[in-house]
Amino acid sequence: MRVLILGGDGFCGWPTALHLSAQGHEVAIADNQSRRRIDEELQAGSLTPIAGIETRLAAWREIGGRAIDFHDLTIGKDYDGLLALLTSWRPDAIVHFAEQRAAPYSMKSAQHKRYTIDNNLNATNDVLAAMVESGLDIHLAHLGTMGVYGYGTAGMAIPEGYLTVKVETPSGWEPREILYPANPGSIYHLTKTQDALLFQFYAKNDKLRITDLHQGIVWGAQTRETRLDPRLINRFDYDGDYGTVLNRFLMQAAVGYPLTVHGPGGQTRAFINIQDTVRCIELALANPPTRGERVKVMNQMTECWRVRDLAQMVARLTGAEVAHLPNPRQEADENDLAVENRRLLAYGLAPITLEDGLLLEIAETARAYADRADLSKIPCVSHWNAERAAAAGQSGAAVAAE
Amino acid sequence: MRVLILGGDGFCGWPTALHLSAQGHEVAIADNQSRRRIDEELQAGSLTPIAGIETRLAAWREIGGRAIDFHDLTIGKDYDGLLALLTSWRPDAIVHFAEQRAAPYSMKSAQHKRYTIDNNLNATNDVLAAMVESGLDIHLAHLGTMGVYGYGTAGMAIPEGYLTVKVETPSGWEPREILYPANPGSIYHLTKTQDALLFQFYAKNDKLRITDLHQGIVWGAQTRETRLDPRLINRFDYDGDYGTVLNRFLMQAAVGYPLTVHGPGGQTRAFINIQDTVRCIELALANPPTRGERVKVMNQMTECWRVRDLAQMVARLTGAEVAHLPNPRQEADENDLAVENRRLLAYGLAPITLEDGLLLEIAETARAYADRADLSKIPCVSHWNAERAAAAGQSGAAVAAE
């Protein structure tokens, strides 16, 4: 299969590109390296020393024995370039990671909200419009987020994208299946709920084949392929904007920093290991919807954990201390969560769980690069609103001026 | 009250600015005159000869005795200009019309889809982000559309924004109120459903006070104030992109063009006269939500009509012929529609109906300017997808290349 990976230089995109290439697919990457520029903006960076994209690709030609083409394209701005790439290279599938993906980054200031909305929505719409204009029957697999659902589940497992409700009709209450009502918790999550409406529209109006993968929080950084050579190493983010919670705890433990639990840590979230991420993308591409079918939504996660339980697990394993900090996010202190993920399991996903012993390996990776850490980047300094900023001892005006 | 009108040079914005100014409010307009540039792009224009914005405002100072400030701003791009305007002028309310508002225009080509998404979503997000950053407690009233609901109502009246459904819980089926499931019929309508998610998020996260007015199809062009002087005259669009259905029929009758019914004309839609539009905005501003309240949604429409019944009514009144053309839109040939609009009625709206004799007056206005009409602009040449283009004898490639 010929697969174009948008955002293929990023945290999920890069290991996906390698995995699909290793599986024998013909892979090309389009990326404008915006994630590397954001590192510069934030004066933060990957704990692991990631190679430049040309070095990465040269290493993969050498180690993996396969070429991956790279296209320096800004998805959402250079529409003509994207359309030309589709019509000349004629991919069978597109994997769309070309979005700003950090909730705290999206909430840092008005300019960060603006960038996230502008980047993510124009990117998704450009991909869809170009698919239509190309006339090609391309399958689009998009990385969504479990965050589209919000976290109020009334004790029921969150279904895969669609919810059966009963609506009143003249003949009584009748069942209908609707897109799960969106309740995003940040501008970043919001863009994914707006993406879902774009997908619904283009699937209906143009019969595009679209899979939306609502992913949990990724933990781990390395996959089989990224481990093959230091030049292939994947990003490991630990900063308050881009670091994901479990990776942050493991890094904090490695450098002797008290684990940063926001509020009482009662937030329950869905998780997935990065090796399962790339496997899920492969399974999604192998099982596309048919033309005219509604958007296929799958929950790409393997287990749910409460944040304070994760912190305690890491503390037990590593001897780290746990610190409870004011929560910068506008969210409930406590929530329960259960999630259905039958579809990817049925396609053959064999989940890697937190019990599988990988946590210590990740902590060791973090320890190996501990000298690269800038501890001042660990706290989350992005506050969701004036109240949360004030609670953290920061004025609303200061947030606004950031 | 101090009211900033975004898009105040447009079809709904201009009469709203005059009406609110006539009611004694202090009014300012921000507009980049994009609607006038689209006239140039389409080589189409208002049937009525509209004056330039400076002439309009000078006439209103003379006739209405009140000044309306004008700010040449592109909402969604010039964020700093918008924020500076909010913090210096400190409006009590913002009325947001600053969006591309024609469904056919939004579907003309990939570039038109891109423009509509980029313009509308960045505009709405910039307004919301600037409201937050300003720290002012401004009430935002936004012009939405009945088209967010789609047209499948299962025989029940469409409620005002929120739908009570029953969801399954461990203790049985329980009622929940959700945002009405979105089912937009064009990229333009889609942006309004994405706006709704922006509003929901900012109301929740930042306690912004927001009213979303889901408006029906506007008929008529003149209001009490625009009739006062030829320099105040409002737009009257009759072209296939921007002309609204009933106004198009009345213009077509005036120039002896067979009424352009798309398909069998079984589409039922909600309507409102432009005089009621400006009155509804006034009522919405007088009845804002409280801080912390969810988004207040009102259906801004007064009656429902089936398109072929409208055509027959106009034919009866004027002697015009009715022509059935292939439908360029991807939509059902027939639908029923009932809509709740109790809130605006409760606030005092006394609807103007099609039976009130205004139709002939509008037809006379159209006749008065018939010599300005370009009949070649009447057909809708924008097709929703390749199939609809083919049905109209146009190739999908031609649509794409438009």
Side-chain angles (χ1 to χ4, degrees), chain A residues 79 110 114 118 122 126 133 154 156 166 168 170 176 182-184 194 200 204-205 207 330 384-385 387, chain B residues 79 110 114 118 122 126 133 154 156 166 168 170 182-184 194 200 204-205 207 330 384-385 387:
Chain A
Y79 176 81
R114 300 182 68 228
D118 182 59
N122 282 317
D126 269 16
E133 187 167 355
M156 305 295 288
K166 290 185 178 170
E168 201 173 5
R176 291 275 186 291
N183 186 22
Q194 295 172 304
Q200 175 187 263
K204 179 180 69 170
N205 193 70
K207 299 195 171 67
Q330 181 66 36
W384 258 234
N385 55 31
E387 280 171 33
Chain B
Y79 176 80
R114 299 182 69 229
D118 182 58
N122 282 318
D126 269 16
E133 188 169 354
M156 306 295 288
K166 290 185 178 172
E168 200 173 5
N183 186 20
Q194 295 171 304
Q200 175 187 265
K204 179 180 68 169
N205 193 70
K207 299 195 172 63
Q330 181 66 35
W384 258 234
N385 54 32
E387 280 171 34

Side-chain angles (χ1 to χ4, degrees), chain B residues 128-146:
Chain B
L128 295 163
M131 285 168 63
V132 172
E133 188 169 354
S134 76
L136 299 168
D137 184 22
I138 302 169
H139 172 215
L140 176 68
H142 169 258
L143 246 280
T145 167
M146 286 297 304

